[in-house]
Amino acid sequence: QVQLAESGGGLVQTGGSLTLSCVASGRSYTFSRSAMAWFRQSPGKEREFVATISRSGSTTSYADFVKGRFTISRDGARNTVSLQMNDLKPEDTAVYYCAAASRAILAPVRPYTSRDDYDYWGQGTQVTVSS
């Protein structure tokens, strides 16, 4: 079993920045074997992909609506994945979820951008951007 704990959400003005963090833990869990991702969900909408990072950290992929503004990274020593969010907009308001794909392979043919790719999820952290 894997536990994912997000933190760092909050209220910020348009144009501001926030950094979300997610710590992964679990008995016999090896962080380096998981691709990691962030998804988000706004009221009345489906959960959508935001960003993903490969097991090694060498490959990242982003949704078009965050390219150039958000950066995903991982720290193997701390079992942590982070999402640096800059130039935030009101439409970025959502609950942000950390996800782990524990069966990810080292060199996938495509980035893991589907919810079905991920088998562990955090509880989410609220991000609110005021206009």
Side-chain angles (χ1 to χ4, degrees):
Q1 193 70 14
V2 177
Q3 291 81 44
L4 302 175
E6 304 102 332
S7 62
L11 174 64
V12 64
Q13 292 185 333
T14 297
S17 299
L18 280 175
T19 300
L20 307 183
S21 294
C22 171
V23 179
S25 62
R27 176 178 283 189
S28 302
Y29 174 65
T30 304
F31 183 66
S32 62
R33 292 182 179 175
S34 292
M36 302 296 295
W38 290 93
F39 287 74
R40 71 185 188 185
Q41 187 169 18
S42 304
K45 295 187 177 181
E46 291 191 352
R47 192 170 300 186
E48 62 181 356
F49 167 76
V50 175
T52 184
I53 187 165
S54 64
R55 285 175 50 179
S56 66
S58 62
T59 304
T60 57
S61 183
Y62 298 91
D64 287 344
F65 52 78
V66 303
K67 282 182 180 177
R69 300 189 297 126
F70 291 10
T71 302
I72 189 171
S73 60
R74 64 189 295 159
D75 182 344
R78 299 182 179 184
N79 282 15
T80 299
V81 60
S82 299
L83 186 69
Q84 173 68 45
M85 305 186 294
N86 298 326
D87 190 24
L88 283 161
K89 305 174 181 181
E91 52 264 42
D92 294 319
T93 295
V95 177
Y96 284 72
Y97 296 90
C98 174
S102 65
R103 295 183 291 271
I105 62 175
L106 272 175
V109 295
R110 62 165 180 83
Y112 294 114
T113 61
S114 169
R115 288 177 295 177
D116 293 339
D117 292 327
Y118 295 87
D119 45 353
Y120 294 102
W121 296 83
Q123 293 299 307
T125 185
Q126 176 71 47
V127 171
T128 302
V129 185
S130 63
S131 57

